[in-house]
Amino acid sequence: MDKRVAQELWRWGSGESPVGHLLAVARRARGLSQAELADRLGVTNANISRIERGSDLKVSTLVDVARELKFEPLLVPKEHLSSVRALLGSLQHDDTAQPERPRFG
């Protein structure tokens, strides 16, 4: 996963970034224009623009857009939210970790 997208996911999970902004970052990371994404989903470019600017959207629309951008929406029980955030945080750090050197290399 693109490091910038991972950082946006982290911000969104903490409530700092609106979902439309996250979808825009993910779309750009996939190299898609709004028009290309709209075409793939069978909606108008204006529809994608409204979503990215933060207008309300149906859950079904969110699922469709997210899946096209290679995300899987998931509802997390509140009691497990801190564990999921910790896992996402560890994944973010794994991207920058140096590979272990062989002991006898």
Side-chain angles (χ1 to χ4, degrees):
M1 175 184 314
D2 180 276
K3 186 174 181 176
R4 182 166 179 227
V5 175
Q7 289 170 339
E8 289 298 326
L9 275 170
W10 182 254
R11 284 190 199 111
W12 181 69
S14 63
E16 293 178 35
S17 189
V19 69
H21 178 73
L22 170 66
L23 295 173
V25 169
R27 175 186 54 76
R28 287 190 294 271
R30 299 268 179 234
L32 295 172
S33 68
Q34 286 182 343
E36 290 169 323
L37 180 59
D39 187 52
R40 288 182 180 195
L41 293 168
V43 299
T44 66
N45 188 21
N47 222 4
I48 298 299
S49 179
R50 278 192 297 274
I51 290 168
E52 290 182 359
R53 286 192 322 260
S55 73
D56 280 344
L57 66 156
K58 293 192 247 179
V59 171
S60 59
T61 303
L62 173 61
V63 170
D64 290 345
V65 172
R67 287 183 174 161
E68 186 62 39
L69 295 172
K70 310 295 185 228
F71 286 93
E72 189 59 37
L74 178 69
L75 295 174
V76 177
K78 263 191 162 175
E79 63 267 18
H80 299 297
L81 190 56
S82 62
S83 298
V84 171
R85 285 185 177 154
L87 176 62
L88 287 173
S90 71
L91 292 174
Q92 180 179 350
H93 296 297
D94 285 347
D95 288 345
T96 60
Q98 296 294 321
E100 285 188 35
R101 293 187 344 195
R103 185 171 178 176
F104 300 105

